[in-house]
Amino acid sequence: MEALSQYRSDSSDNESDGGQTRTYAAPVVRQYKVDTAPDVISQTPEHNITNYIAPGQKKMYYNMPYEMLTQPLVGPSDKDGEFSVRARNMTSGTAEEQAVDENTFRRQERLFRQQGFANNPTIGAENEIIGNKSAEPRAQKAQRKAKGDSGIIDGENAYVGPWAQFEGDTTGQTCGPTAEQLAEYEERIAQADTVDAAQSGKRSKTKGVTSYAAGQDERTLFHGQSERDYQGRTYMHVPSDLQRDVSDQTCYAPKRLIKEWKAHANGVSAIRFIPHSGHLLLSSGMDGLVKLFDTHASLKQQRTYIGHAKAVRDVSFAPNGETFVSSSYDTFSKIWDTETGACKQRLSASGAVPYVARFHPDDENTVLVGQSDKKIVQWDLRAGEIVQEYNQHLGAINSLTFFDANRRFISTSDDKSMRVWEFGIPVVIKLVADPAMHSVPAVALHPNQKWLAGQSMDNRIVVYSAGERIKPHRRKEFKGHLTAGFACQPAFATDGSMVASGDAEGNVWCWDWQSTRVVTKWRAHDKVAICTAWHPCEPSRVATCSWDGSIKLWD
């Protein structure tokens, strides 16, 4: 541009206009600078790119300044304080042991507690001793009792062999009141009942049933020889030989009777297996008693729970099986401890009869009780009070069933309807009712959580979907049995392949779930078979109960 502004030819230098020389001003030229390679490296210290040399590196693939080659090593070191590169024992590098195994820790902890010294648990200091090794031992080794005489089976100096207890150990010994104290207590309670009945002029007319005053202290009876075994375990311990995983097992209809209990004097109203394991069976009777049976090893009665003045209509276990709730016609629902037999709480609302009670499957502190006054009350056992009421039914509540991941539950009533509720919200979200519909007093949930089977009073088992939409399955119903007028509880096999139910004639029916055909039918009881329960772990074991007072276990 500068050359262009200074350009002039030789002829123009000689040109003149009236003897004067012409001059021209230099043109103004705007200059723009274009940088085609801008500086893209940040100058901030945290963004600087620095090259490092790994410890033990033998080659360099680029030139590096002297300061970088002589800089000190920085980073994690091994247990010896060196930066040596060791062989990798995992994908991302070398992992060092930072913990001791459970067996070693327990052994050293027991040694320190007994002898006063132990090895140092710090990594790298295993050979050091913590504590005073020369001190006296803190605890002497416990001595075992004598093995006993092998010729004596029971009583004093009975043979116990290698299972002899240590001196001073009371594990497995019977605790609580003696037989004399228990007899004295029962005699005192009987005398008090007689005095109360004489003062009120009312006596119980039911033969074999003791009359209890409202709010009287409950009691329990243990029927075994010892409440604990040689390891200190009660009957709540799940047997180790019980098969817990039944996902790959196929269920079959039972073929033989393996045990019969003459459980209750005036009929059995309900039976329930303990959740998950099923090694215990709970029953409620018309004689006001609740009983517990062992269904796995001894097949004997374990405990009796006494505390209701009238017949017990229903029982239900908590999700963990440690407690259960019983509902009786004496207007009380009571929470019992399964292991000790103690009554933990009494629930009663406005004098209504509780027909059914269920624990929430995810919260053992929440109980739903369906009552004769057309209400469903929700109890919080921690506060001991009612926190919610569901009161849109027009008749007594017969059954309560949770479904849909326990977010909803369905209730059936004498008003010939089924109502679906959102748990905790007392508003009906679905009403299942029809002019031709009969009452459904008993409902069972399919193991896949997708179907509900209800015992209808027109001699059918009807099926409803348990998804987002509650609707009847018109093509799937189970017929052939006679149940009109009886609330016979149906049950599903563990794998969901069969449905079982009793009838009014004492028969037990099994249907195939897919084809709805009758698989088998057998005579089980002399009177109505009111409840059927399928074992949760044994694929072909079924328990039935009847109004003839018997409970039978089939396999």
Side-chain angles (χ1 to χ4, degrees), residues 148-168:
D149 188 359
S150 59
I152 302 177
I153 298 177
D154 194 6
E156 186 178 358
N157 199 25
Y159 180 73
V160 292
W163 299 278
Q165 296 180 343
F166 291 95
E167 294 290 345

Side-chain angles (χ1 to χ4, degrees), residues 51 56 92 107 168 388 481 521:
N51 297 318
S92 58
R107 185 171 61 252
Q388 191 62 269
H481 59 316
K521 165 198 149 183

Side-chain angles (χ1 to χ4, degrees), residues 44-57:
T44 57
E46 62 272 11
H47 292 162
N48 285 340
I49 299 177
T50 307
N51 297 318
Y52 297 97
I53 298 179
Q57 184 175 339

Side-chain angles (χ1 to χ4, degrees), residues 80-123:
D80 299 326
E82 299 179 357
F83 293 90
S84 59
V85 179
R86 299 181 299 174
R88 293 187 176 186
N89 56 10
M90 59 184 301
T91 305
S92 58
T94 303
E96 296 181 358
E97 183 183 10
Q98 296 295 329
V100 296
D101 59 278
E102 181 72 13
N103 187 24
T104 303
F105 177 80
R106 294 300 177 190
R107 185 171 61 252
Q108 295 299 324
E109 186 268 340
R110 191 181 305 111
L111 179 64
F112 184 81
R113 177 161 35 87
Q114 294 178 355
Q115 304 295 335
F117 65 91
N119 292 335
N120 192 341
T122 306
I123 302 299

Side-chain angles (χ1 to χ4, degrees), residues 253-255 500 503 506-510 520-525 542 544 554:
K255 297 181 179 180
D503 67 359
N507 300 320
V508 177
W509 298 66
C510 286
T520 183
K521 165 198 149 183
W522 72 92
R523 181 77 172 182
H525 298 276
V542 177
T544 60
W554 308 83

